[in-house]
Each structure stands twice: as structure tokens, then as C-alpha cells.
Amino acid sequence: MHESHIRLARPTDDAALARLDRDTWSTLHAVSPRPEPPYSPFFDDRHRPEDHLLAEDGDGTVLGYVRLVPPTPLPCNRHVRQIQGLAVSDAARGRGIGRALLRAACDEARGQGAVRITLRVLEHNAPARALYASEGFTVEGVLPGEFLLDGVYVDDVLMGRALG
């Protein structure tokens, strides 16, 4: 098994994360259109390096990332963190990278003082839903037909868990 470790992203990770994001784009999880050139930077005012944990091999190859942010800027829910993106390269699938990133996100959220973590996942993304459920996330709500993807209405599933 290849060694990997998880760290906070740095501005210099922009190109590698942008490439990973494009390479893993799929209607299984994406609600935005397939990226087309010229590509936008991965990081911007709303997607900062410090909001991302990334997994990399010993040689520095980026294997995956998770984006962890407060769900709103409101002080009344600063005790919550939300996962707003999780991707693992095709080459690294089946190695536990997604699970490791999910656990690291929960640890990071706790370290930031959060007591709860949430996420949204498309109803038809069975692999992701199974991973989240196996890590203690439960379905807390469903937005029926929230997205129209390839001519099909897809439910948006809200999941969450306590960080106790």
C-alpha cells in the first residue's frame, strides 16, 4: 500500500487541485457544468487554501481533497462546519483516501470548535452516501428534485452528525 498523508492546502497546490477537480468531474456528484478551457483557478475568494485538506503520496502527488467551511457567516451557527467538496483521484480509489479525508475533516472541525458537521450529497451517489453513513452521518433532510441533471430530476440529500 502506498503511504499518504493529509495536510492543509497551500496556495501552490492550486494547479494540482484544479486538475484533480477536472479529472474527477462526474454527474454522480457535480451540479455545475463540466469545466471547459480556459479553466478558472481552483482557489478564489470563496475557496481559500486554508479551507481545504488534501491527501498526498510520499512523492507529493495529490490524491484527494476535502473542503470544510462554515455553512454561513452567521455567528449563531459558527458551531457547525460543512463539507462542500470531497474528491479522490481515480488512481487512488479503494485505498481509504476518502475515508481518511472525511475523518480529518471531522478532526479539523472539532479543532475549530465545531460540535456538528454537515454535507449535501446527490441521492444517486450511492458510494458517497454509504461512506458518509459508515462514518456516522445520517440523513437529516431531502430536497426532492432539487437538481435537473442530464434531463433527470435528482434529490439533494442533507446529511449530518455530531462531533462529540
Side-chain angles (χ1 to χ4, degrees), residues 73-88:
L74 300 170
C76 61
N77 83 328
R78 71 173 150 227
H79 63 285
V80 179
R81 288 297 177 274
Q82 187 170 66
I83 291 173
Q84 291 186 354
L86 174 66
V88 176

Side-chain angles (χ1 to χ4, degrees), residues 24-47:
T24 58
W25 185 95
S26 164
T27 55
L28 193 61
H29 59 81
V31 294
S32 55
R34 180 183 295 278
E36 298 289 339
Y39 300 118
S40 300
F42 186 81
F43 297 127
D44 59 28
D45 292 345
R46 292 182 46 237
H47 303 87

Side-chain angles (χ1 to χ4, degrees), residues 7-139:
R7 64 170 172 83
L8 274 175
R10 299 184 283 261
T12 53
D13 296 315
D14 188 278
L17 289 169
R19 190 168 41 257
L20 174 68
D21 222 32
R22 290 191 302 272
D23 291 348
T24 58
W25 185 95
S26 164
T27 55
L28 193 61
H29 59 81
V31 294
S32 55
R34 180 183 295 278
E36 298 289 339
Y39 300 118
S40 300
F42 186 81
F43 297 127
D44 59 28
D45 292 345
R46 292 182 46 237
H47 303 87
R48 305 169 313 157
E50 59 268 27
D51 297 332
H52 297 79
L53 294 168
L54 64 80
E56 64 183 1
D57 261 342
D59 67 0
T61 301
V62 174
L63 305 174
Y65 77 85
V66 61
R67 178 172 180 246
L68 182 71
V69 295
T72 73
L74 300 170
C76 61
N77 83 328
R78 71 173 150 227
H79 63 285
V80 179
R81 288 297 177 274
Q82 187 170 66
I83 291 173
Q84 291 186 354
L86 174 66
V88 176
S89 72
D90 290 341
R93 288 186 195 270
R95 291 173 41 190
I97 303 297
R99 186 175 305 279
L101 284 164
L102 195 55
R103 289 178 178 175
C106 289
D107 290 343
E108 178 69 18
R110 274 188 213 93
Q112 293 177 11
V115 297
R116 196 171 136 60
I117 189 167
T118 63
L119 57 86
R120 296 168 67 167
V121 60
L122 295 175
E123 183 274 330
H124 65 232
N125 192 345
R129 291 182 61 190
L131 171 63
Y132 301 143
S134 74
E135 288 296 318
F137 286 80
T138 59
V139 173

